[in-house]
């Protein structure tokens, strides 16, 4: 009887050892497979990141080729062409984009500084009323008035804030006197255009647009991040606009963004402005309170318009900026497709509808996509660990 019990105990111990061995074997196999997965993931992402840096470097080079002698950045071609300060700011923002292995160069930094010198000079000269310019007989000629003063001011502050932040030039002694005056004038103009916490197009045009206000908000936000002396005053204006944007432009009954304040005008088949307006808060990284609603709008926009295909037949423009919304939603696949289509279809001949502002957005999207891949590597490492 006693011997029988001993045999039973031995069998149980042996069984437990076998089970433990099997568990250890399974765990080892899983670790090997997960390690192999992580290594393959790193290789795949490394190839993608190298590609993004190639695109980024090439687009920056093209933007620099379109900069004029006074610092102005042309739409497409510096020998004879248009300079639109609104789009030129987008191009200059592209020069500030960078990755771990492709940092902003001194040449690019100086180019943005030269552009800000030119833009600020025009801003002060026109008392904040920017226009569109054209090169004729070797000289820049004022051609027409800007279509939205508030949007143009917002883009100027967006670029200024991002430049100061990237170059760490936040001390008052670091800023040229003209830049201080330009910032001060832009802020005063924005305040003069504000009605009930949001900005109108101009002194003459009292229409309030969602997109313009998001551009103004972004400009104030970036300037606030730069940490200037009057950050508190800038913050107060930014918070006021931020609060009013959702209050005035969000149509809760129809679960979408209004294009114009107090107007229900909306055509769901229209790409611009109706469709683009629905993802504009994402493009400018506006902190929407209910992110699930914004995701629904993004998904609807993607399904309806297939923005990643860059269909120029819609409005005559590529609208590469839509990729910034994808970056916010961490939609890597569609963003990769956008950059790939851009590279394949428009980078060789550089003809219309391509312009430097579009290249600027592509540069910023390369930076964002590179960051998303970095995040993916870390996530993969955590899973493997």
């Amino acid at each position: 009887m006693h011997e029988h019990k001993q045999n039973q105990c031995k069998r149980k111990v042996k069984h437990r050892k076998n089970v433990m061995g099997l568990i250890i074997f399974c765990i080892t196999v899983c670790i090997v497979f997960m390690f192999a997965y992580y290594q393959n993931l790193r290789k795949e992402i490394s190839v993608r990141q190298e590609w993004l840096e190639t695109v980024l470097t090439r687009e920056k080079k093209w933007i620099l080729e379109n900069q004029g002698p006074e610092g102005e950045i042309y739409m497409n071609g510096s020998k004879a062409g248009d300079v639109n300060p609104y789009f030129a700011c987008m191009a200059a923002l592209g020069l500030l984009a960078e990755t771990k292995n492709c940092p902003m160069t001194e040449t690019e930094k100086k180019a943005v500084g030269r552009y800000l010198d030119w833009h600020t000079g025009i801003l002060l000269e026109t008392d904040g009323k920017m226009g569109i310019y054209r090169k004729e007989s070797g000289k820049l000629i004022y051609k027409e008035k800007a279509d939205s003063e508030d949007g143009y001011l917002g883009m100027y502050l967006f670029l200024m804030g991002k430049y100061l932040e990237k170059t760490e030039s936040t001390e008052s002694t670091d800023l040229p006197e003209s830049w201080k005056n330009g910032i001060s004038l832009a802020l005063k103009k924005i305040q003069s255009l504000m009605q009930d916490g949001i900005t109108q197009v101009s002194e003459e045009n009292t229409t309030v647009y969602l997109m313009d206000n998001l551009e103004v908000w972004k400009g104030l936000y970036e300037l606030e991040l730069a940490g200037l002396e009057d950050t508190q005053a800038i913050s107060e204006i930014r918070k006021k606009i931020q609060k009013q944007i959702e209050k005035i432009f969000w149509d809760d009954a129809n679960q979408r963004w209004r294009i114009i304040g107090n107007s229900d005008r909306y055509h769901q088949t229209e790409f611009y402005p109706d469709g683009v307006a629905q993802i504009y808060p994402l493009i400018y990284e506006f902190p929407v309170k209910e992110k699930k609603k914004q995701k629904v709008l993004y998904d609807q926009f993607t399904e309806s318009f297939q923005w990643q295909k860059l269909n120029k037949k819609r409005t005559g423009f590529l609208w590469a900026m839509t990729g910034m919304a994808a970056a916010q939603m961490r939609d890597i696949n569609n963003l990769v497709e956008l950059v790939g289509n851009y590279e394949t279809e428009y980078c060789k001949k550089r003809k219309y509808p391509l312009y430097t502002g579009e290249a600027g957005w592509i540069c910023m999207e390369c930076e964002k996509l590179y960051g998303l891949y970095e995040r993916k590597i870390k996530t993969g490492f955590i899973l493997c660990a």
Side-chain angles (χ1 to χ4, degrees):
M1 186 77 172
H2 179 69
E3 187 178 343
H4 176 69
K5 284 185 177 180
Q6 278 186 328
N7 290 334
Q8 274 189 323
C9 288
K10 287 179 181 179
R11 282 197 296 271
K12 284 181 180 179
V13 169
K14 187 177 181 181
H15 177 70
R16 285 191 188 120
K17 285 182 178 179
N18 289 339
V19 170
M20 286 301 296
L22 182 60
I23 291 172
I24 291 170
F25 174 76
C26 290
I27 290 173
T28 303
V29 170
C30 285
I31 289 172
V32 169
F33 272 111
M34 289 180 77
F35 182 75
Y37 163 78
Y38 180 68
Q39 290 298 102
N40 288 332
L41 177 68
R42 283 203 66 129
K43 287 180 183 178
E44 181 185 332
I45 287 177
S46 180
V47 171
R48 285 286 176 87
Q49 287 181 320
E50 287 176 13
W51 167 62
L52 289 171
E53 288 175 334
T54 301
V55 175
L56 176 61
T57 302
R58 185 182 57 235
E59 294 314 290
K60 283 185 170 188
K61 182 175 180 291
W62 185 62
I63 292 170
L64 289 172
E65 289 170 358
N66 281 276
Q67 186 166 36
E70 296 176 32
E72 73 277 19
I73 298 178
Y74 289 83
M75 296 278 282
N76 190 335
S78 58
K79 292 183 179 179
D82 291 342
V83 178
N84 185 317
Y86 175 83
F87 296 117
C89 282
M90 296 175 183
L93 281 163
L95 293 176
L96 297 177
E98 56 187 346
T99 64
K100 183 171 63 179
N101 300 315
C102 189
M104 177 175 53
T105 65
E106 193 63 27
T107 298
E108 291 156 0
K109 176 183 172 181
K110 287 180 179 178
V112 179
R114 287 177 59 230
Y115 174 74
L116 280 168
D117 283 339
W118 177 83
H119 191 134
T120 302
I122 296 293
L123 185 76
L124 294 171
E125 184 183 306
T126 60
D127 192 35
K129 294 182 179 292
M130 300 295 293
I132 298 170
Y133 303 82
R134 181 166 297 162
K135 195 168 190 177
E136 294 180 358
S137 303
K139 293 183 179 180
L140 276 178
I141 308 296
Y142 178 93
K143 296 301 292 184
E144 58 183 280
K145 183 181 176 182
D147 57 2
S148 61
E149 288 181 22
D150 56 345
Y152 276 60
L153 291 167
M155 291 305 296
Y156 169 71
L157 293 181
F158 180 4
L159 174 61
M160 179 66 79
K162 184 65 78 173
Y163 177 85
L164 296 178
E165 182 190 345
K166 286 266 189 176
T167 58
E168 299 181 346
S169 307
T170 57
E171 298 295 328
S172 58
T173 53
D174 296 333
L175 270 64
E177 197 63 32
S178 62
W179 288 19
K180 295 178 190 175
N181 295 335
I183 292 169
S184 178
L185 176 60
L187 290 172
K188 286 177 183 176
K189 282 290 179 182
I190 284 171
Q191 287 177 294
S192 72
L193 294 173
M194 286 181 71
Q195 301 293 332
D196 298 323
I198 53 175
T199 59
Q200 59 189 46
V201 171
S202 64
E203 293 174 5
E204 303 79 24
N205 186 343
T206 60
T207 309
V208 293
Y209 289 105
L210 169 67
M211 296 188 201
D212 291 0
N213 273 271
L214 286 168
E215 288 159 359
V216 170
W217 175 86
K218 182 65 171 177
L220 294 168
Y221 177 77
E222 292 295 339
L223 202 61
E224 185 181 345
L225 285 182
L228 298 176
E229 289 179 357
D230 51 353
T231 296
Q232 186 60 40
I234 296 167
S235 179
E236 287 175 8
I237 304 171
R238 191 265 307 162
K239 287 177 182 176
K240 188 182 293 185
I241 290 181
Q242 183 170 317
K243 180 181 178 181
Q244 291 298 91
I245 283 176
E246 287 212 67
K247 181 179 178 182
I248 292 174
F249 292 105
W250 177 252
D251 181 354
D252 198 52
N254 294 300
Q255 293 291 289
R256 62 173 178 250
W257 292 102
R258 294 187 179 94
I259 304 164
I260 303 171
N262 301 320
S263 171
D264 291 329
R265 169 203 157 179
Y266 179 76
H267 301 288
Q268 66 180 38
T269 58
E270 289 294 324
F271 176 79
Y272 178 83
D274 310 69
V276 174
Q278 305 312 310
I279 62 164
Y280 224 65
L282 285 173
I283 292 171
Y284 284 92
E285 301 177 299
F286 183 77
V288 177
K289 289 179 182 176
E290 295 191 42
K291 295 182 179 180
K292 288 182 180 179
K293 293 180 180 178
Q294 191 61 68
K295 184 184 186 309
V296 169
L297 291 173
Y298 171 78
D299 290 341
Q300 290 173 348
F301 179 79
T302 300
E303 185 179 348
S304 297
F305 300 109
Q306 297 294 297
W307 51 268
Q308 70 275 21
K309 299 189 183 303
L310 294 174
N311 187 350
K312 66 182 180 181
K313 293 179 181 179
R314 287 196 196 97
T315 61
F317 290 104
L318 301 183
W319 287 95
M321 69 189 319
T322 52
M324 289 296 281
Q328 282 292 94
M329 299 306 300
R330 298 176 188 168
D331 183 358
I332 290 177
N333 291 338
N334 278 323
L335 187 48
V336 167
E337 186 177 347
L338 171 85
V339 177
N341 286 334
Y342 173 88
E343 182 184 36
T344 302
E345 297 178 32
Y346 299 102
C347 287
K348 288 184 180 179
K349 296 183 179 180
R350 300 283 182 186
K351 291 185 178 181
Y352 181 86
L354 180 59
Y355 65 94
T356 50
E358 299 278 19
W361 284 112
I362 289 293
C363 290
M364 289 185 271
E365 286 157 6
C366 285
E367 180 182 46
K368 292 285 187 184
L369 189 48
Y370 190 98
L372 288 175
Y373 279 131
E374 287 289 291
R375 180 187 176 88
K376 195 170 183 179
I377 289 173
K378 290 177 182 177
T379 304
F381 176 77
I382 290 169
L383 286 173
C384 289

